[in-house]
Amino acid sequence: VTGSLPISLQSCQCLAWKPGPVGVWPCPSESQHVVAGYSDGTVRVFSVSRTEMELKMHPHAAALTAITYSTDGEMILSGGKDGTVAISSPRTGMTIHVLADHKGSPITVLQCTRKQYHDFGVEGGELWLATSSDRRVSVWASDWLQDKCELLDWLSFPAPAGPEGLDSLPPSLAAFCPWEHGVLVYVGFGLQKEALFYSLRKKQVLRKISLPAFATSLSLSPAGPFMAIGFGDRLLRLQPCPAGAPQDYAGHDDTVHFCSFAPSGRRLLSASHSAVLVWELTGA
């Protein structure tokens, strides 16, 4: 640890690194920034090298639950406990869009990916998705310079009513598939314990992968056809895609509530209540 960021009386609910220039990794330390979402509805941008807050915005009336940068780092997308999604500029400090399509259900995931203008017949240089805890996923095409934000697809996944034996429902999680363009992967409470691969072009589920339990965390490798899935029984699974024998790993003390591949795809970070593990993926 080389420094600490300023302490706030509000609790930090989510954070994200600002992406570096395309083709440059790692990002130069002097330009590294993180954005954090807080329980008071504020979004704060911190400089890592100077260990100080550079910008504070207040785009939400409720606590934040998800946050990310656009792929070029020019916009900040934030989601709240009330289901609203805000798009703000860290350059001007202005919020340019507030979307209420998921209103009433906390945002669980926000993710951006690059796209070509002609990929889906709509204008936009970037594709992004928002997932809420009520098993809904919205997919958007945006052109930040032209102030355009267009809904591309809207997914609602069914689930049985009145589940028994579950203190809280598993989270709804979705991610763009790095190795299969135009496809997203979804896991969440539903009729079956499974991961769904949905095609944005065909507007249908292409395939399903059965899971031993409902997933509590999800990450897709940027380097190859693998996904990491965490479960409530302290299990972390590395799943080859589209098929193959999964590898299960123990070592956590509680629910694996977070997992994330490194940009190289060679390491995997996973976290539970009081343990953070780093895995070396020598065969991936």
Side-chain angles (χ1 to χ4, degrees), residues 202-217:
K202 296 182 178 180
K203 308 289 185 182
Q204 65 183 36
V205 174
L206 298 176
R207 58 187 173 274
K208 305 175 182 180
I209 294 179
S210 297
L211 303 176
F214 290 116
T216 54
S217 55

Side-chain angles (χ1 to χ4, degrees), residues 49-161:
S49 60
R50 292 194 296 273
T51 64
E52 65 181 19
M53 183 173 68
E54 292 188 346
L55 177 66
K56 179 179 177 181
M57 300 177 286
H58 202 157
H60 293 272
L64 271 77
T65 53
I67 199 162
T68 192
Y69 276 96
S70 60
T71 55
D72 60 6
E74 292 300 314
M75 292 293 168
I76 294 171
L77 287 73
S78 54
K81 189 175 182 180
D82 59 359
T84 59
V85 175
I87 302 169
S88 308
S89 169
R91 290 185 179 273
T92 65
M94 300 287 290
T95 297
I96 60 175
H97 288 293
V98 176
L99 307 174
D101 299 73
H102 289 268
K103 192 170 184 178
S105 185
I107 301 298
T108 53
V109 177
L110 290 168
Q111 187 193 11
C112 299
T113 187
R114 297 184 186 277
K115 69 172 287 288
Q116 299 297 320
Y117 282 79
H118 58 272
D119 276 0
F120 299 98
V122 295
E123 291 189 356
E126 185 157 289
L127 208 63
W128 61 275
L129 64 78
T131 308
S132 51
S133 59
D134 58 358
R135 303 173 302 281
R136 294 185 296 169
V137 182
S138 61
V139 182
W140 305 77
S142 292
D143 187 332
W144 309 121
L145 294 178
Q146 299 297 323
D147 196 23
K148 292 181 179 180
C149 191
E150 182 177 348
L151 181 65
L152 180 65
D153 209 338
W154 181 266
L155 314 178
S156 295
F157 295 94

Side-chain angles (χ1 to χ4, degrees), residues 173-175 178-179 185-187 195 197 209 211-212 215-222 224-231 235-241 246-249 252 256-262 265 267-271 277 279 281 284:
L173 306 171
W179 62 84
V185 179
Y186 171 85
V187 296
F197 286 72
I209 294 179
L211 303 176
T216 54
S217 55
L218 172 72
S219 182
L220 277 62
S221 172
F226 291 90
M227 62 180 180
I229 309 168
F231 298 99
L235 182 71
L236 177 69
R237 169 168 287 191
L238 186 64
Q239 174 70 57
C241 300
Q247 303 174 50
D248 292 335
Y249 301 94
H252 283 283
V256 184
H257 61 77
F258 176 83
C259 59
S260 179
F261 282 97
R267 288 186 175 89
L268 176 69
L269 179 73
S270 59
L277 304 181
W279 307 82
L281 306 177

